[in-house]
């Protein structure tokens, strides 16, 4: 499709932690690369991206989706020079913007509990000093409520700008949000504005896939039976959720294994899992009855002679009978 999503997950390998770095096509769901990595560093992850690019993908990748880890920025720029680097909006909204809104909500609930606790301790008529204390608690509660509501409204406006008609309109609205956040007295909105300002270069670059001929993406069309150009905003991937789905499927096997034994065994398992993931027949969803490769209009039978992953790996066909 021209788009890739890169993410990493931790595993145990003989009493130490290692990484599995996966590169997935978000529009077809195919695993393009799944490599073992010694550590989470710019050099180690950059080596995997370099090998991926030199395998023939550099010319074809137009959009690269990652989280905000700084170790991705330079390798993507160096080895995938024709791609724009987009930060995952799921990570932005849930783990940063959403987490800030949640902190504001918790502060408001704490303020409400303090008033309830105060009223429980002072059931009789309040003295002048106690009335002042209660009024101060009410003021704090009202302020916390305003901060929470302001943070919620900021989050809604931010999510709404992602559906702007073009890049210029989205950029103007984002700049306005950041500008307002710097002037507000709401500490939560100010934190969100600072976060957006720090990661400004990778927030809206996905619009280039719709407006630039150099970054056009394609998607598999089941109705047409071929790959078609992507021209609609709703079809442009802006999250790395497809990589997270790969990890959820992977955990079904690794949770039973507890840990890997050797480097070679780890990489062999990753290769086998990627093969199985791309060739397994799906039981539900819009690709039901097909494998991911078949749904991407790849003739699996023509390449391997069969579409059964076990037969391709060398196991005898199910229909073959045996005698003792």
């Amino acid at each position: 499709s021209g788009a890739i999503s890169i993410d990493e997950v931790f595993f145990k390998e003989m009493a130490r932690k290692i990484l599995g770095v996966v590169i997935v096509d978000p529009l077809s769901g195919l695993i393009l690369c799944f490599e073992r990595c010694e550590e989470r560093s710019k050099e180690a992850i950059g080596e995997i991206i370099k090998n991926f690019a030199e395998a023939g993908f550099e010319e074809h990748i137009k959009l690269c989706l990652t989280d905000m880890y700084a170790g991705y920025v330079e390798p993507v720029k160096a080895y995938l020079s024709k791609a724009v680097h987009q930060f995952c909006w799921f990570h932005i909204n849930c783990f940063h913007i959403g987490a800030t809104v949640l902190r504001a909500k918790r502060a408001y609930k704490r303020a409400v509990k303090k008033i309830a606790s105060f009223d429980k301790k002072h059931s009789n008529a309040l003295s002048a000093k106690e009335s002042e204390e209660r009024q101060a608690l009410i003021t704090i509660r009202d302020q916390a409520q305003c901060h929470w509501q302001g943070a919620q409204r900021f989050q809604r406006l931010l999510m709404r700008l992602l559906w702007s008609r073009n890049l210029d309109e989205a950029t103007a609205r984002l700049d306005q949000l950041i500008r307002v956040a710097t002037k507000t007295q709401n500490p939560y909105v100010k934190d969100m504005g600072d976060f957006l300002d720090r990661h400004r270069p990778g927030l809206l670059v996905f619009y280039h896939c719709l407006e630039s001929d150099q970054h056009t993406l394609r998607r598999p069309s089941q109705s047409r039976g071929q790959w078609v150009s992507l021209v609609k905003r709703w079809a442009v991937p802006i999250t790395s959720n497809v990589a997270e789905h790969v990890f959820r499927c992977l955990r079904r096997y690794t949770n039973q294994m507890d840990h890997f034994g050797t480097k070679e065994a780890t990489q062999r398992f990753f290769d086998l899992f990627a093969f199985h993931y791309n060739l397994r027949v799906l039981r539900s969803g819009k690709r039901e009855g097909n494998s991911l490769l078949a749904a991407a209009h790849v003739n699996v039978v023509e390449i391997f002679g069969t579409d059964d992953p076990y037969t391709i790996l060398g196991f005898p066909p199910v229909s073959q009978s045996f005698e003792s």
Side-chain angles (χ1 to χ4, degrees), residues 17-235:
K17 281 188 174 182
I18 59 139
L19 281 175
V21 178
V22 67
I23 303 178
V24 193
D25 185 336
L27 290 169
S28 66
L30 290 167
I31 295 178
L32 305 179
C33 177
F34 196 5
E35 294 290 333
R36 179 187 176 279
C37 187
E38 293 283 348
E39 59 183 359
R40 197 186 195 209
S41 66
K42 178 180 66 176
E43 292 75 17
I45 295 178
E47 186 66 23
I48 293 176
I49 296 177
K50 178 183 177 181
N51 294 337
F52 173 77
E54 292 177 349
F57 286 97
E58 182 179 5
E59 296 294 324
H60 302 285
I61 303 304
K62 310 300 181 183
L63 173 67
C64 180
L65 291 157
T66 69
D67 56 27
M68 284 72 66
Y69 174 52
Y72 283 119
V73 177
E74 291 186 16
V76 170
K77 185 177 180 180
Y79 304 123
L80 300 174
S81 57
K82 297 185 181 299
V84 291
H85 187 185
Q86 171 67 47
F87 293 141
C88 170
W89 271 98
F90 176 80
H91 286 79
I92 293 172
N93 186 39
C94 291
F95 302 133
H96 298 277
I97 302 299
T100 305
V101 174
L102 186 60
R103 282 196 292 116
K105 180 180 179 180
R106 288 172 176 168
Y108 168 68
K109 288 188 173 182
R110 285 196 301 269
V112 171
K113 288 181 178 180
K114 285 183 179 180
I115 295 178
S117 177
F118 182 89
D119 291 340
K120 188 175 180 181
K121 292 179 181 178
H122 303 82
S123 56
N124 299 325
L126 301 179
S127 64
K129 183 177 181 181
E130 291 171 345
S131 297
E132 290 180 2
E133 291 180 6
R134 190 176 190 281
Q135 187 59 43
L137 291 175
I138 291 175
T139 302
I140 294 174
R141 181 202 61 186
D142 294 343
Q143 186 182 48
Q145 186 178 19
C146 289
H147 287 169
W148 176 33
Q149 291 175 343
Q152 284 181 308
R153 187 166 185 267
F154 188 90
Q155 184 185 30
R156 287 195 298 267
L157 291 173
L158 180 62
M159 293 298 103
R160 197 177 301 169
L161 73 81
L162 294 178
W163 295 95
S164 301
R165 290 171 294 181
N166 51 56
L167 178 59
D168 292 338
E169 180 180 331
T171 302
R173 294 171 69 179
L174 179 62
D175 291 341
Q176 184 181 14
L177 281 177
I178 295 174
R179 192 164 54 249
V180 169
T182 58
K183 299 178 180 179
T184 184
Q185 300 300 317
N186 189 329
Y188 303 102
V189 173
K190 193 180 293 291
D191 287 346
M192 290 188 283
D194 292 341
F195 171 81
L196 294 177
D197 193 32
R198 289 196 308 271
H199 299 90
R200 179 72 180 78
L203 298 180
L204 298 174
V205 295
F206 67 89
Y207 274 100
H208 289 288
C209 299
L210 297 172
E211 301 179 8
S212 172
D213 295 336
Q214 299 178 354
H215 300 93
T216 303
L217 303 179
R218 297 188 304 157
R219 64 179 180 86
S221 173
Q222 301 302 319
S223 59
R224 300 184 188 180
Q226 59 183 355
W227 288 75
V228 298
S229 297
L230 192 153
V231 295
K232 298 294 184 181
R233 161 62 188 85
W234 58 265

Side-chain angles (χ1 to χ4, degrees), residues 289-302:
N290 294 312
S291 65
L292 291 176
L293 277 173
H297 312 300
V298 175
N299 193 333
V300 178
V301 177
E302 181 179 343

Side-chain angles (χ1 to χ4, degrees), residues 299-308 311-312:
N299 193 333
V300 178
V301 177
E302 181 179 343
I303 296 175
F304 296 106
T306 177
D307 58 357
D308 178 40
T311 304
I312 295 172

